[in-house]
Amino acid sequence: MIGALMLDIAGTTLTPEDIELLQAPQVGGMILFARNIESPAQVRALTDHMRQIRPDILIAVDQEGGRVQRLRNGFTLLPAMGRFGELYQTQPKQALELAEQCGWLMASEVLAVGIDFSFAPVLDLNAISDVIGDRAFAQNIDDIIPLARAFLNGMHLAGMACTGKHFPGHGSVKADSHIAAAIDSRSYDDIYQQDMQSFIQLMPQLDALMPAHVIYDQVDPNPAGFSPYWIQQVLRQELKFDGVLFSDDLSMQAACVAGGADARIKAALDAGCDMGLVCNDRDAACIALEAIQDLPLPNQARLERMRGQIPNISIAEKLDLGEHWKTVKTRIEAFKNNM
């Protein structure tokens, strides 16, 4: 059974405390960071060990491309998604082909080392945000939607579920929600007509969404990830979204408005998130775990859709996933290096 808490570990192997936490019923996921990565072979050994301890665990990573990619040493260094948006202005057909190949390449390498999914892609606008920028495909919806659709197609072809972030849009908020409270004072209509459209148009292809730690104060007083209005009324009822909802990291500064780690995880789950992330703070993760011990487990059928098609292969120090992989890798690296 899959629990409602996703947490992390400090090193490249499991400690006795890590193993004990993995066995807790309400722990449903693990997310890997750069500190957990030495080589493809080491990552596969780590994820295999996690599954020996907890066969039903979901393992995730942030492997977007550009400045947000945790798997680097021994993996393809991917371009930022904004590079596809730039190419799309002059060579749209080539940009779409490369975006799909990049989605496939990213997902293939992540799955090969035993990770179920990457929290990708970013569907925000590249507008004024300090933290989004070229993590977004483009500055306008008409460019984002086809490029993101191509990237999603590539992920699905590789056998990976997709997570769109950060609903209903983080790109039009200046503050970085990792380190500050983020407030967007636009009307619902403005948000709906602009930032939300990429999520709405791509919803049939999205397996999961991650709400933003942003307060849209003309709409609701709570950050979207803690908001029954955004999650239950807008996403579930009005937009009929039945995919998984992951909270953004509940250790981020913008999440502190909900209180301590126990209050934050409860607020996210009560609002309608299926799984809450508590990262880079083991004490907070333990407090959150204790706070939800007696809560019912989340929707299992929904979470099962996030399980990746992980190949039964042994991994050497250097990845080698076949001729098609080599061809695509060469093309994406050439694109990145020629930017």
Side-chain angles (χ1 to χ4, degrees):
M1 300 293 280
I2 306 170
L5 178 65
M6 179 175 281
L7 46 78
D8 58 345
I9 63 172
T12 55
T13 58
L14 295 176
T15 66
E17 183 186 45
D18 295 334
I19 291 171
E20 184 178 351
L21 279 172
L22 261 176
Q23 294 169 328
Q26 279 288 17
V27 173
M30 298 292 290
I31 182 168
L32 302 186
F33 289 93
R35 64 176 179 270
N36 308 127
I37 314 301
E38 285 180 348
S39 70
Q42 169 268 326
V43 178
R44 184 63 192 249
L46 174 60
T47 57
D48 285 349
H49 191 192
M50 287 178 178
R51 289 198 172 86
Q52 288 172 11
I53 305 300
R54 187 70 182 275
D56 54 0
I57 200 78
L58 290 171
I59 305 175
V61 71
D62 285 318
Q63 190 76 350
E64 297 173 12
R67 57 201 157 92
V68 180
Q69 48 188 323
R70 313 306 185 201
L71 306 171
R72 289 179 174 267
N73 186 30
F75 298 85
T76 305
L77 295 181
L78 305 168
M81 296 301 101
R83 303 292 80 79
F84 298 113
E86 292 170 5
L87 182 64
Y88 190 74
Q89 305 310 307
T90 56
Q91 300 179 65
K93 185 173 184 290
Q94 185 182 1
L96 293 172
E97 289 174 358
L98 284 167
E100 180 171 308
Q101 290 183 335
C102 189
W104 179 89
L105 180 65
M106 178 278 288
S108 296
E109 294 189 358
V110 169
L111 290 165
V113 294
I115 299 171
D116 289 290
F117 60 93
S118 168
F119 284 116
V122 169
L123 299 180
D124 302 311
L125 295 167
N126 181 359
I128 63 170
S129 171
D130 288 336
V131 72
I132 301 300
D134 66 2
R135 293 168 65 191
F137 285 96
Q139 296 179 336
N140 65 80
I141 291 298
D142 290 339
D143 293 351
I144 291 172
I145 291 170
L147 288 164
R149 181 175 286 120
F151 192 87
L152 293 168
N153 287 342
M155 289 178 69
H156 280 148
L157 285 170
M160 179 179 284
C162 309
T163 304
K165 55 189 189 185
H166 307 81
F167 181 86
H170 198 317
S172 299
V173 185
K174 180 69 173 168
D176 178 351
S177 54
H178 291 84
I179 58 175
I183 299 173
D184 186 333
S185 294
R186 292 175 301 157
S187 70
Y188 179 86
D189 284 346
D190 283 347
I191 299 165
Y192 183 90
Q193 295 296 336
Q194 298 174 50
D195 305 58
M196 276 175 66
Q197 284 304 307
S198 58
F199 298 93
I200 293 170
Q201 299 298 325
L202 295 167
M203 209 161 269
Q205 290 175 272
L206 292 169
D207 305 285
L209 285 172
M210 179 176 283
H213 281 327
V214 174
I215 297 172
Y216 305 88
D217 62 357
Q218 298 303 304
V219 181
D220 187 82
N222 301 299
F226 297 145
S227 167
Y229 172 79
W230 281 112
I231 292 177
Q232 294 179 31
Q233 183 170 329
V234 175
L235 273 174
R236 295 298 192 203
Q237 295 176 29
E238 295 177 11
L239 299 177
K240 310 297 184 188
F241 183 67
D242 189 41
V244 177
L245 293 174
F246 292 100
S247 83
D248 206 342
D249 182 6
L250 296 173
S251 299
M252 287 163 56
Q253 186 63 34
C256 293
V257 296
D262 49 350
R264 292 179 218 169
I265 187 71
K266 284 183 174 178
L269 298 181
D270 286 348
C273 287
D274 298 289
M275 185 176 283
L277 282 68
V278 180
C279 310
N280 303 308
D281 188 337
R282 178 55 62 86
D283 289 342
C286 291
I287 290 168
L289 180 60
E290 182 66 28
I292 64 171
Q293 292 282 18
D294 297 327
L295 295 183
L297 292 173
N299 185 308
Q300 297 296 298
R302 200 182 276 153
L303 284 165
E304 274 294 336
R305 298 178 210 152
M306 300 306 298
R307 203 166 296 287
Q309 295 177 25
I310 295 170
N312 184 18
I313 56 175
S314 59
I315 299 292
E317 285 303 303
K318 288 191 175 182
L319 279 178
D320 185 351
L321 304 179
E323 291 307 312
H324 180 61
W325 169 79
K326 289 177 184 175
T327 300
V328 174
K329 175 182 173 69
T330 299
R331 190 176 187 206
I332 293 299
E333 286 179 333
F335 170 64
K336 179 180 184 295
N337 294 333
N338 289 332
M339 292 186 307

